[in-house]
Amino acid sequence: MAPKTSSATLRLKQDYIRLKNDPVPYVIAEPNPSNILEWYYVVSGPDDSPYAGGYYLGRLVFPRDFPFKPPSIYMITPNGRFKTNTRLCLSISDYHPDTWNPAWSVSTILTGLLSFMLENSPTMGSIEMTDYERRQLAAQSLESNVRDENFCELFPELTMVKFVNML
């Protein structure tokens, strides 16, 4: 008898297919190959922002009862907006289960994350830096990311950007 597939697994597989067919601008994401409840994403800094030229790695950790409960959201790459390796308090995260909508998808979460990144509203896990400091971190972001095993494994095309820029 085959093991029962959880509703979270089924939903995340559907979200992955939708995300590949209809990508979120400035964001790519991949599930951990050994655990579909853990995803990594990369936000590419929009040209008209202090994050331009930057690549920001982060992680989503979905609960077993997703989509009925929201994920935890983390930013791994130093970026000047959010603390690194800290659960972020966003209306789309597990800090606010009361505002969570089960109809929201991984694409919705990533779109919301980008929106929060581009504004300056203070929240738990946010930090304040100048645009100049954020541009400096953008320039250093690939260097930071290539030291991360998940970044190199899940986003090899971005790892190559680092080496092409060195030529």
Side-chain angles (χ1 to χ4, degrees):
M1 188 169 172
K4 183 181 174 206
T5 305
S6 74
S7 60
T9 298
L10 291 173
R11 172 63 182 274
L12 289 167
K13 286 179 178 180
Q14 290 173 345
D15 280 6
Y16 183 69
I17 292 167
R18 278 193 225 111
L19 187 61
K20 289 301 181 186
N21 290 332
D22 187 18
V24 174
Y26 303 106
V27 187
I28 56 175
E30 294 289 335
N32 177 335
S34 62
N35 179 5
I36 197 160
L37 297 177
E38 178 181 61
W39 287 46
Y40 289 87
Y41 63 84
V42 176
V43 173
S44 300
D47 289 339
D48 59 347
S49 76
Y51 309 102
Y55 295 92
Y56 305 98
L57 179 67
R59 185 168 65 109
L60 303 173
V61 180
F62 294 92
R64 293 193 184 284
D65 42 8
F66 179 80
F68 304 106
K69 292 189 178 174
S72 299
I73 303 173
Y74 300 85
M75 185 66 75
I76 297 169
T77 308
N79 55 82
R81 172 66 172 116
F82 298 118
K83 292 178 183 176
T84 58
N85 300 307
T86 300
R87 270 179 55 230
L88 302 178
C89 176
L90 307 172
S91 61
I92 54 173
S93 76
D94 62 347
Y95 262 94
H96 295 283
D98 51 315
T99 61
W100 175 251
N101 182 338
W104 291 344
S105 64
V106 173
S107 293
T108 308
I109 295 162
L110 296 172
T111 300
L113 174 70
L114 177 63
S115 177
F116 278 106
M117 188 170 178
L118 296 175
E119 64 180 44
N120 285 314
S121 303
T123 187
M124 186 75 78
S126 68
I127 55 176
E128 288 189 34
M129 286 193 169
T130 65
D131 284 354
Y132 175 78
E133 292 169 311
R134 289 174 177 174
R135 284 191 289 274
Q136 286 185 310
L137 290 171
Q140 299 164 7
S141 62
L142 271 178
E143 185 75 37
S144 173
N145 290 335
V146 295
R147 292 189 293 264
D148 187 285
E149 182 180 311
N150 292 301
F151 180 84
C152 295
E153 180 183 334
L154 297 173
F155 307 102
E157 69 281 7
L158 295 178
T159 303
M160 293 308 298
V161 169
K162 168 70 178 151
F163 296 109
V164 168
N165 288 343
M166 292 172 61
L167 300 177

Coordinates of all heavy atoms in Angstrom, one line a residue, residues 105-136:
S105 N -1.0 31.3 -2.3 CA -0.1 30.3 -2.8 C 1.4 30.7 -2.5 O 1.6 31.8 -2.0 CB -0.3 30.2 -4.3 OG 0.1 31.4 -4.9
V106 N 2.3 29.9 -2.9 CA 3.7 30.2 -2.8 C 4.0 31.5 -3.6 O 4.7 32.4 -3.1 CB 4.6 29.1 -3.3 CG1 6.1 29.5 -3.3 CG2 4.5 27.8 -2.4
S107 N 3.4 31.6 -4.8 CA 3.5 32.8 -5.6 C 3.0 34.1 -4.8 O 3.7 35.1 -4.8 CB 2.8 32.7 -6.9 OG 3.3 31.7 -7.7
T108 N 1.9 34.0 -4.1 CA 1.4 35.1 -3.3 C 2.4 35.4 -2.2 O 2.6 36.6 -2.0 CB 0.0 34.7 -2.7 OG1 -0.9 34.2 -3.7 CG2 -0.6 35.8 -2.0
I109 N 2.9 34.4 -1.6 CA 3.9 34.7 -0.5 C 5.1 35.4 -1.0 O 5.6 36.4 -0.4 CB 4.3 33.3 0.2 CG1 3.0 32.7 0.9 CG2 5.4 33.5 1.2 CD1 3.2 31.2 1.2
L110 N 5.6 35.0 -2.1 CA 6.8 35.6 -2.7 C 6.6 37.0 -3.2 O 7.4 37.9 -3.0 CB 7.4 34.7 -3.8 CG 7.9 33.3 -3.4 CD1 8.2 32.4 -4.5 CD2 9.0 33.4 -2.4
T111 N 5.4 37.2 -3.8 CA 5.0 38.6 -4.2 C 4.9 39.5 -3.0 O 5.4 40.6 -3.0 CB 3.7 38.5 -5.0 OG1 3.8 37.7 -6.1 CG2 3.2 39.9 -5.4
G112 N 4.3 39.0 -1.9 CA 4.2 39.8 -0.7 C 5.5 40.1 -0.1 O 5.8 41.2 0.4
L113 N 6.4 39.1 -0.1 CA 7.7 39.3 0.5 C 8.5 40.4 -0.3 O 9.1 41.3 0.3 CB 8.5 38.0 0.4 CG 10.0 38.1 0.8 CD1 10.1 38.4 2.3 CD2 10.7 36.9 0.4
L114 N 8.4 40.4 -1.6 CA 9.1 41.4 -2.4 C 8.5 42.8 -2.1 O 9.2 43.7 -1.9 CB 9.0 41.1 -3.9 CG 9.5 42.1 -4.9 CD1 11.0 42.3 -4.7 CD2 9.2 41.8 -6.3
S115 N 7.2 42.8 -2.0 CA 6.5 44.1 -1.6 C 7.0 44.6 -0.3 O 7.3 45.8 -0.2 CB 5.0 43.9 -1.6 OG 4.4 45.0 -1.3
F116 N 7.1 43.8 0.7 CA 7.6 44.2 2.0 C 9.0 44.6 2.0 O 9.4 45.6 2.6 CB 7.4 43.1 3.1 CG 6.1 42.9 3.7 CD1 5.2 41.9 3.3 CD2 5.6 43.8 4.6 CE1 4.0 41.8 3.9 CE2 4.4 43.7 5.2 CZ 3.6 42.7 4.8
M117 N 9.8 43.9 1.1 CA 11.2 44.3 1.0 C 11.4 45.7 0.4 O 12.3 46.4 0.8 CB 12.0 43.3 0.1 CG 13.5 43.4 0.1 SD 14.2 42.0 -0.7 CE 15.9 42.5 -0.6
L118 N 10.5 46.1 -0.5 CA 10.7 47.4 -1.2 C 10.1 48.5 -0.4 O 10.2 49.7 -0.8 CB 10.1 47.3 -2.6 CG 10.8 46.3 -3.5 CD1 10.0 46.2 -4.8 CD2 12.2 46.6 -3.7
E119 N 9.4 48.3 0.7 CA 8.9 49.4 1.5 C 9.8 49.5 2.8 O 10.7 48.7 3.0 CB 7.4 49.2 1.9 CG 7.1 48.0 2.7 CD 5.7 47.8 3.0 OE1 4.8 48.0 2.1 OE2 5.4 47.5 4.2
N120 N 9.5 50.5 3.6 CA 10.3 50.7 4.8 C 9.6 50.6 6.1 O 10.0 51.0 7.1 CB 11.0 52.1 4.7 CG 12.1 52.1 3.7 OD1 12.9 51.1 3.7 ND2 12.2 53.1 2.8
S121 N 8.4 50.0 6.1 CA 7.6 49.9 7.3 C 8.4 49.0 8.3 O 8.8 47.9 7.9 CB 6.3 49.2 7.0 OG 5.5 49.9 6.1
P122 N 8.5 49.4 9.5 CA 9.2 48.6 10.5 C 8.4 47.4 10.9 O 7.1 47.5 10.9 CB 9.4 49.5 11.7 CG 8.4 50.6 11.5 CD 8.1 50.7 10.1
T123 N 9.0 46.3 11.1 CA 8.3 45.1 11.6 C 9.4 44.2 12.3 O 10.6 44.5 12.2 CB 7.7 44.3 10.4 OG1 7.0 43.2 10.9 CG2 8.8 43.8 9.4
M124 N 8.9 43.2 13.1 CA 9.8 42.3 13.8 C 10.7 41.6 12.7 O 10.2 41.0 11.8 CB 9.1 41.3 14.6 CG 9.9 40.4 15.4 SD 10.5 41.3 16.9 CE 9.0 41.2 17.9
G125 N 12.0 41.8 12.9 CA 12.9 41.2 11.9 C 13.5 42.2 10.9 O 14.3 41.8 10.1
S126 N 12.9 43.4 10.8 CA 13.4 44.4 9.9 C 14.5 45.2 10.5 O 14.7 45.3 11.7 CB 12.3 45.3 9.4 OG 11.9 46.2 10.5
I127 N 15.4 45.8 9.7 CA 16.4 46.7 10.1 C 16.4 47.9 9.2 O 15.8 47.9 8.2 CB 17.8 46.0 10.0 CG1 18.1 45.4 8.6 CG2 17.9 44.9 11.0 CD1 19.5 44.8 8.5
E128 N 17.1 48.9 9.7 CA 17.1 50.2 9.0 C 18.6 50.4 8.5 O 19.5 50.3 9.3 CB 16.6 51.4 9.8 CG 15.1 51.4 10.0 CD 14.7 52.6 10.7 OE1 15.2 53.7 10.4 OE2 13.7 52.5 11.5
M129 N 18.7 50.7 7.2 CA 20.0 51.1 6.6 C 19.7 52.1 5.6 O 18.6 52.2 5.1 CB 20.7 49.8 6.0 CG 21.3 48.9 7.0 SD 22.4 47.7 6.1 CE 23.2 47.0 7.5
T130 N 20.8 52.8 5.2 CA 20.6 53.8 4.1 C 20.6 53.1 2.8 O 21.0 51.9 2.7 CB 21.8 54.8 4.1 OG1 23.0 54.0 3.8 CG2 22.0 55.5 5.5
D131 N 20.1 53.8 1.8 CA 20.1 53.2 0.4 C 21.5 52.9 0.0 O 21.8 51.9 -0.7 CB 19.4 54.2 -0.6 CG 17.9 54.1 -0.4 OD1 17.4 53.3 0.4 OD2 17.2 54.9 -1.1
Y132 N 22.5 53.8 0.4 CA 23.9 53.6 0.0 C 24.3 52.2 0.6 O 25.0 51.4 -0.1 CB 24.7 54.7 0.5 CG 26.2 54.5 0.3 CD1 26.8 54.7 -1.0 CD2 27.0 54.1 1.3 CE1 28.1 54.4 -1.2 CE2 28.4 53.8 1.1 CZ 28.9 54.0 -0.1 OH 30.3 53.8 -0.3
E133 N 24.0 52.0 1.9 CA 24.4 50.7 2.5 C 23.8 49.5 1.8 O 24.4 48.5 1.6 CB 24.1 50.7 4.0 CG 24.9 51.7 4.8 CD 24.4 51.9 6.2 OE1 23.2 52.2 6.4 OE2 25.2 51.8 7.1
R134 N 22.5 49.7 1.4 CA 21.8 48.6 0.7 C 22.4 48.3 -0.6 O 22.5 47.2 -1.0 CB 20.3 48.9 0.6 CG 19.6 48.9 2.0 CD 18.2 49.4 1.9 NE 17.6 49.2 3.3 CZ 16.4 49.6 3.6 NH1 15.6 50.2 2.7 NH2 15.9 49.4 4.8
R135 N 22.8 49.4 -1.3 CA 23.5 49.2 -2.6 C 24.8 48.4 -2.4 O 25.2 47.6 -3.3 CB 23.7 50.5 -3.4 CG 22.4 51.0 -4.0 CD 22.6 52.2 -4.9 NE 23.0 53.4 -4.2 CZ 22.1 54.3 -3.7 NH1 20.8 54.1 -3.8 NH2 22.5 55.3 -3.0
Q136 N 25.5 48.7 -1.4 CA 26.8 48.0 -1.1 C 26.5 46.6 -0.8 O 27.3 45.7 -1.3 CB 27.5 48.7 0.1 CG 28.2 50.0 -0.2 CD 28.9 50.5 1.0 OE1 28.4 50.6 2.1 NE2 30.2 50.9 0.7

